[in-house]
Amino acid sequence: MKERTLSIIKPDGVSRNLIGAVVKRLEEAGLNIMAMKMIRMTKEQAKGFYKVHEGKPFYESVTDFMSSGPCVVMALEGEDVIKRYRKLMGATNYKEAEEGTIRRDFATDIEKNVVHGSDSEENARSEINYFFNALEIAK
Ligand code: GDP
C-alpha cells in the first residue's frame, strides 16, 4: 500500500554534514521525496513534536537536542514506506541497530541518532502536518 512518512535529519546529522549521505540512501532505496526543507525548531516546537514522550526521563534532553540546531524535514512516499524507512534507519539505540543501517553507521549516542521516522500511519499523518502545508508537498 502506498503510504507517506515523515523523515527528519536531526541536528547532529546536519552539523556533521550527513545530509547527502542520508538522502543518498533514501534515493537508492527508491523512497520518493515529496517535500523537503531545513528548519530550526524552538524548544516549544520540539516539545510539541515529541509530546508523546512528555514525562519520560529523556524528554527535556531530547527536546533540547532537537532545538539545538537546524534539521532537514522530509515527507517520503512509497509502497510500505513507513516500515521500509524504519528499517533503513535501524534501532533507536545504534548499538542494537543492524549492520548497514543509517543509525548503525552514523549515530554516536542513543539520543544523537541522526534520523527520525514516523512509526505508524496515524503518526505519519500528524507529523507531516506538523511541518508541511498542502502547498509544500509535491503531488
Ligand atoms: P525512535 O522512534 O526510534 O526515534 O525512538 P523513540 O520514539 O523511542 O524516541 C525518540 C527519540 O528520543 C530517539 O530517536 C532518541 O533521539 C531519543 N531517545 C530515545 N530513548 C532515549 C534514551 O533512553 N535516552 C536519551 N537521552 N534519548 C533517548
Side-chain angles (χ1 to χ4, degrees):
M1 193 184 48
K2 207 164 176 181
E3 298 174 332
R4 284 182 179 177
T5 195
L6 182 86
S7 163
I8 304 180
I9 305 176
K10 296 183 179 184
D12 60 330
V14 172
S15 67
R16 292 170 58 219
N17 295 327
L18 294 172
I19 298 171
V22 172
V23 169
K24 187 166 194 281
R25 289 185 186 211
L26 304 182
E27 290 184 332
E28 282 175 353
L31 311 187
N32 294 316
I33 300 171
M34 305 298 285
M36 183 181 207
K37 63 185 173 186
M38 186 177 277
I39 55 146
R40 166 90 190 248
M41 276 185 267
T42 63
K43 172 78 172 173
E44 285 310 307
Q45 287 165 339
K47 284 170 90 169
F49 176 67
Y50 271 140
K51 195 145 184 63
V52 292
H53 293 304
E54 197 169 10
K56 294 202 182 138
F58 59 85
Y59 184 60
E60 279 305 316
S61 173
V62 77
T63 52
D64 278 346
F65 165 54
M66 291 300 281
S67 57
S68 67
C71 290
V72 171
V73 288
M74 290 173 273
L76 308 178
E77 187 176 87
E79 290 294 318
D80 210 16
V81 73
I82 296 172
K83 211 187 294 167
R84 282 165 65 208
Y85 174 54
R86 293 281 305 184
K87 197 165 167 57
L88 282 184
M89 288 196 321
T92 310
N93 183 349
Y94 73 104
K95 291 179 181 165
E96 289 163 11
E98 277 181 48
E99 299 260 354
T101 60
I102 295 168
R103 285 168 165 174
R104 174 66 172 257
D105 290 346
F106 301 121
T108 53
D109 185 274
I110 190 164
E111 185 173 278
K112 294 179 180 59
N113 57 6
V114 185
V115 279
H116 166 84
S118 314
D119 61 4
S120 68
E121 273 188 79
E122 192 188 343
N123 288 342
R125 228 182 334 266
S126 71
E127 291 178 2
I128 289 170
N129 288 336
Y130 196 73
F131 294 108
F132 294 104
N133 66 45
L135 283 176
E136 294 176 305
I137 302 177
K139 285 292 176 294

